Amino acid sequence: MDLSLSTRTVGDRTIVEVGGEIDVYTAPKLREQLVELVNDGSYHLVVDMEGVDFLDSTGLGVLVGGLKRVRAHEGSLRLVCNQERILKIFRITGLTKVFPIHTSVDEAVAATD
Amino acid sequence: MPTVELLFSAQPEHVRTARLVAAAVARRAGVDEAALDEVRLAVGEACSRAVGLHRNSGVEDPVRVRLTEDEKKFSIEVADEVPGTSSGSNPGGGADEPADDEGEMGLAVISGLVDDFEVIDGDKGGIIRMSWPTVSL
């Protein structure tokens, strides 16, 4: 399965809904999307990963890159993920300490810390 | 002799094929269902790294994946054709080269996932070797 991307706005947050596989082939598309959003002034991003079937280190690199970009504008990048196999990758790389990970988009949108 | 051997040109779009083949052969070999996600991720990381090395070094040879089913374990070898990079040295570019960083992150992910894992630096290139126990079917 290829990567699918769609965005919508809720208040000052931009939700990026990602589906399919994020790997060495598809990660550049996600990178482009995040860069474009930040360039267009969206600095508070919520990446909804509930539809993601596969994530590798290339995908992690893109998410870290996105976080760096929004932080440069005092923004935020939150993740929504309940899937154990995806969460495991964040855990073994220590990135659970870097990204706020939420169980629902509503929770991520409401978060303000 | 490997059970299945796969050669693919060093293009990112073929890494998915390698993941699917490895997971299918691992399942047949009797690797625990719960470990198949690890197999898929680990072989994907190893192949992504090899693709990055080949592309950064202008190597046109294919990446080679050997999947071997033994009595008690299922082994995967992913071989690149770029000498002198597997031990973490970086002759191809500066330390800021993103592809190299991602390759190293890939190794970190594999080492976090797989208990039996080694990186062998050969004259012709590096080999990432990993294995999982199998249960008799």
Side-chain angles (χ1 to χ4, degrees):
Chain A
M1 189 195 283
D2 212 343
L3 186 74
S4 67
L5 292 168
S6 66
T7 60
R8 65 181 194 279
T9 310
V10 179
D12 68 339
R13 311 290 167 99
T14 302
I15 321 294
V16 184
E17 202 175 294
V18 190
E21 300 187 338
I22 311 176
D23 72 355
V24 66
Y25 178 52
T26 61
K29 292 177 201 160
L30 177 60
R31 181 185 292 124
E32 276 171 31
Q33 173 78 83
L34 296 179
V35 168
E36 197 180 301
L37 285 170
V38 174
N39 287 347
D40 290 347
S42 303
Y43 303 140
H44 291 284
L45 306 179
V46 174
V47 180
D48 179 0
M49 303 185 63
E50 282 300 275
V52 172
D53 303 311
F54 181 87
L55 172 74
D56 72 3
S57 63
T58 326
L60 291 177
V62 168
L63 292 172
V64 171
L67 184 66
K68 267 176 69 178
R69 283 173 197 277
V70 293
R71 279 195 176 160
H73 299 278
E74 288 169 15
S76 61
L77 193 157
R78 298 172 181 281
L79 304 177
V80 176
C81 182
N82 291 295
Q83 301 184 71
E84 186 48 39
R85 61 172 158 178
I86 305 289
L87 291 170
K88 185 177 180 179
I89 305 162
F90 286 95
R91 272 201 297 273
I92 60 174
T93 50
L95 290 172
T96 44
K97 297 185 189 103
V98 175
F99 290 104
I101 302 179
H102 300 275
T103 54
S104 70
V105 171
D106 287 348
E107 186 190 296
V109 168
T112 53
D113 54 39
Chain B
M1 188 189 138
T3 311
V4 171
E5 186 164 12
L6 178 69
L7 290 172
F8 66 92
S9 61
Q11 303 293 334
E13 57 265 43
H14 302 315
V15 171
R16 179 170 188 264
T17 306
R19 287 200 304 269
L20 295 176
V21 171
V25 180
R27 176 180 277 126
R28 252 198 67 84
V31 172
D32 190 61
E33 282 290 324
L36 290 177
D37 277 335
E38 291 173 15
V39 171
R40 200 172 325 193
L41 181 55
V43 79
E45 294 292 355
C47 289
S48 303
R49 181 174 178 276
V51 166
L53 289 172
H54 279 218
R55 286 164 69 92
N56 288 344
S57 307
V59 172
E60 293 191 0
D61 299 294
V63 174
R64 184 183 297 266
V65 183
R66 289 194 183 94
L67 310 166
T68 308
E69 183 183 339
D70 291 324
E71 209 172 305
K72 288 183 178 163
K73 66 174 183 176
F74 172 70
S75 312
I76 300 179
E77 285 184 10
V78 176
D80 63 69
E81 302 278 336
V82 183
T85 49
S86 300
S87 57
S89 60
N90 185 17
D96 294 333
E97 199 69 35
D100 289 320
D101 286 351
E102 279 166 11
E104 295 318 306
M105 180 128 100
L107 285 184
V109 169
I110 298 171
S111 65
L113 281 176
V114 188
D115 295 332
D116 182 14
F117 155 68
E118 61 178 329
V119 182
I120 302 152
D121 203 1
D123 293 342
K124 291 183 180 167
I127 299 174
I128 292 178
R129 184 179 288 159
M130 44 206 167
S131 80
W132 287 263
T134 54
V135 289
S136 48
L137 297 172

